[in-house]
Amino acid sequence: MQKNYQLRTIAFYNLENLFDTINDSLVYDDDRTPTGKDNWTEERYWKKIENLSKVIFDIGSDNNPSGPDILGVCEAENRKVLEDLINHPALQKKQYGIVHFDSPDERGIDVGLLYTKSSFIPISFVSRRLLLTNEEGFRDYTRDQLVVEGLLDNEKIYVIVNHWPSRSGGELRSRPYRLKAAELNKRIIDSLRYLDSNAKIVSMGDFNDDPISPSFKKILKVKGKEKQLDSTGLFGPMENLFKKGIGSLAYRDKWNLFDQIYLTANLLNNPKGYRFWKADVFNPPYLIDPKGIYKDYPLRTYAGGSYIGGYSDHFPVYVHLIRKVK
C-alpha cells in the first residue's frame, strides 16, 4: 500500500542588510540612507524587497511547491521591513505572520521568524540576550537569540533563530564571542528540555561558524551522522554538505557554511509526527554572480562598493520535515 506523506519546509535566510531608507539616530545605519555612502534610495529598497520575495517563494520548491512554512531571517533592520517583505505580491498569498523583537545590535539588525499562518501557530516567544564584553571590558552589543514555541500542524516544536557574532578582527580573535553564543544556545536547549523532556527543537541561523567549528563540536556537540546520536544529541545535517564542499557564502575564494539548521535527535525518529527528511543549500543559477571578481559567489546587493542589485551575500538553507498521513 502506498504511504502518503505531508511535507513541511523550515528555512533560514540572511537578508543581507535589509534596511529601510530612514536614518535612525540610535543605530549605525547612515550608509543605508538616500544621502549615505550606499545611496540607498526607495527604488533600491523596493528592488531588494522584490528580489528577496522571489527567493523566499522559491526555497525548497523542488519538493515543496508551497515554499517555506517557517523561515528564520537575520539582518533585518526592524519589523516594518519584514512587513514590507511579506506583503509583497509574490508572498501575499502565503499569509505569513511575523515574530520579531528589536535587539541591541550596534548596526540595528535583528533576527526574526516568518511563518505561514495555515501551518504554524506560535504559542509563546521570547528574546534571549547575549551579553558580551570586549577586550577593554566594555559591553559589545550584538543580536539576541529568538526562541519561539508553536504548533506545526498541531505538533509542538520549538524554533531558535540565531545570528552569532561575526569574524571581524579574524576568526581566532572573535572565536570567544561565538563560543559564548553557543553556550547561550545550549542553555536555551537545556532549559526547554527541562520544562518539556520530549521537546522537539530546531535551531537555525547565520552562526559565522562552520559545522566543524569548536562552537558546534565542543560546546553544542552537534553530530553530523545519525549513527553517532544518542537520545539527547543534536543532529547537524549541514556537516555532510560542508564536507562535500557546499557552502552558503564565499570569502577570498573559500566557501563557508555559516548558515545552518540543526535538530534534536527526536526529530529523526518520530514515528507519529514530523521527522527530518533532507537538508540543502538553495543556490539556483539566478542567485549566482555570473561574472567579475565575485564570479560564482552569491549575487549580492553591493559588490566592491558598487550597487549591482542582487539578492544577498548568503544563500538560504532549508530542511524538509515529513510525516505519514492516513
Side-chain angles (χ1 to χ4, degrees):
M1 189 176 83
Q2 186 180 3
K3 292 175 181 173
N4 292 316
Y5 290 94
Q6 188 168 22
L7 175 65
R8 293 297 184 195
T9 302
I10 299 178
F12 177 82
Y13 196 14
N14 180 326
L15 304 176
E16 190 209 15
N17 295 321
L18 181 58
F19 284 86
D20 60 27
T21 60
I22 302 160
N23 189 2
D24 184 341
S25 61
L26 298 178
V27 295
Y28 300 132
D29 68 346
D30 298 28
D31 290 348
R32 285 291 167 108
T33 58
T35 57
K37 179 171 68 72
D38 293 337
N39 188 25
W40 189 239
T41 61
E42 285 283 315
E43 183 183 1
R44 290 181 175 182
Y45 171 71
W46 288 107
K47 173 67 173 170
K48 173 103 172 167
I49 291 287
E50 181 182 350
N51 284 352
L52 293 174
S53 64
K54 172 178 170 51
V55 180
I56 292 167
F57 185 88
D58 288 346
I59 294 172
S61 56
D62 285 358
N63 297 111
N64 184 5
S66 64
D69 301 282
I70 297 172
L71 174 70
V73 295
C74 74
E75 295 201 10
E77 185 180 14
N78 49 44
R79 186 183 180 93
K80 176 67 167 61
V81 299
L82 295 177
E83 288 173 350
D84 287 345
L85 186 60
I86 66 170
N87 287 321
H88 186 276
L91 295 179
Q92 236 172 357
K93 288 181 182 176
K94 291 183 180 290
Q95 291 286 296
Y96 277 117
I98 300 171
V99 180
H100 167 268
F101 292 90
D102 282 312
S103 76
D105 181 79
E106 291 166 0
R107 287 172 53 210
I109 53 173
D110 308 327
V111 298
L113 190 79
L114 309 181
Y115 60 91
T116 54
K117 296 173 184 176
S118 59
S119 61
F120 185 74
I121 302 171
I123 300 171
S124 66
F125 34 87
V126 66
S127 198
R128 295 292 185 205
R129 191 131 298 173
L130 175 59
L131 295 173
L132 300 173
T133 52
N134 62 23
E135 292 162 344
E136 287 79 41
F138 293 106
R139 173 90 182 269
D140 198 326
Y141 293 92
T142 188
R143 280 78 61 175
D144 296 342
Q145 295 182 15
L146 176 62
V147 187
V148 181
E149 173 192 9
L151 298 175
L152 181 63
D153 298 313
N154 293 318
E155 182 176 352
K156 186 184 285 189
I157 69 162
Y158 301 84
V159 181
I160 310 170
V161 187
N162 303 263
H163 186 192
W164 289 3
S166 76
R167 294 191 170 196
S168 177
E171 190 279 324
L172 203 59
R173 187 176 173 188
S174 59
R175 184 185 293 175
Y177 293 162
R178 287 184 299 283
L179 294 177
K180 288 277 189 188
E183 287 167 1
L184 174 59
N185 206 244
K186 186 176 187 303
R187 285 199 302 276
I188 292 168
I189 291 169
D190 289 347
S191 65
L192 292 175
R193 284 173 157 167
Y194 178 77
L195 296 168
D196 178 359
S197 59
N198 193 40
K200 301 180 185 76
I201 306 168
V202 179
S203 189
M204 59 180 161
D206 174 359
F207 297 96
N208 277 298
D209 264 344
D210 290 312
I212 59 170
S213 296
S215 55
F216 279 85
K217 289 300 171 188
K218 292 184 177 176
I219 305 292
L220 289 163
K221 296 182 169 57
V222 177
K223 306 294 186 186
K225 295 179 180 174
E226 293 184 37
K227 64 184 180 184
Q228 298 172 328
L229 285 170
D230 58 27
S231 60
T232 62
L234 298 172
F235 174 60
M238 303 303 185
E239 185 176 329
N240 190 40
L241 296 172
F242 180 67
K243 288 179 176 176
K244 290 177 181 176
I246 298 170
S248 59
L249 74 158
Y251 180 67
R252 293 181 178 170
D253 293 336
K254 177 179 177 287
W255 282 96
N256 291 102
L257 191 44
F258 290 170
D259 304 272
Q260 300 182 54
I261 302 172
Y262 55 96
L263 326 121
T264 46
N266 55 4
L267 277 164
L268 277 80
N269 182 20
N270 187 25
K272 292 185 179 178
Y274 279 111
R275 59 182 175 85
F276 170 79
W277 178 38
K278 63 191 288 190
D280 213 344
V281 175
F282 183 67
N283 56 1
Y286 74 83
L287 281 184
I288 299 171
D289 200 327
K291 59 183 187 301
I293 59 169
Y294 296 110
K295 187 177 187 293
D296 297 331
Y297 285 28
L299 184 59
R300 53 207 295 171
T301 309
Y302 288 83
S306 298
Y307 176 74
I308 57 172
Y311 302 83
S312 170
D313 55 350
H314 291 242
F315 294 136
V317 295
Y318 65 93
V319 297
H320 287 317
L321 303 181
I322 56 170
R323 72 173 179 181
K324 293 177 189 173
V325 290
K326 294 175 182 176

